[in-house]
Amino acid sequence: MRNKMNDGNIRVILTLFNSKEKKIITTPNTKAYIVKTLDSDLEQNFGDKEMIVLK
């Protein structure tokens, strides 16, 4: 998931997603990163979406 923060940074959250139930699953293994920019591959994959699902 990608969230724009008030300070202009971007928070990217990596977690599990149950595609059958359409629910985000938070676990102790959930990772969150705060970055200034995304690389071109991530930016292209996200497009205008807040969430992408990797299979």
Side-chain angles (χ1 to χ4, degrees):
M1 294 183 304
R2 170 181 64 174
N3 303 92
K4 194 85 153 173
M5 300 175 68
N6 292 336
D7 62 3
N9 287 328
I10 302 166
R11 179 176 32 211
V12 178
I13 301 169
L14 307 175
T15 191
L16 299 176
F17 180 73
N18 183 327
S19 58
K20 289 182 182 179
E21 295 182 21
K22 306 289 186 210
K23 291 184 180 180
I24 294 170
I25 303 167
T26 53
T27 71
N29 296 324
T30 297
K31 301 288 183 200
Y33 300 93
I34 297 175
V35 297
K36 292 183 184 208
T37 60
L38 297 178
D39 73 359
S40 59
D41 288 336
L42 273 177
E43 193 64 50
Q44 182 179 5
N45 283 300
F46 268 112
D48 62 349
K49 300 178 281 264
E50 291 183 7
M51 182 174 82
I52 55 176
V53 177
L54 304 175
K55 297 180 180 185

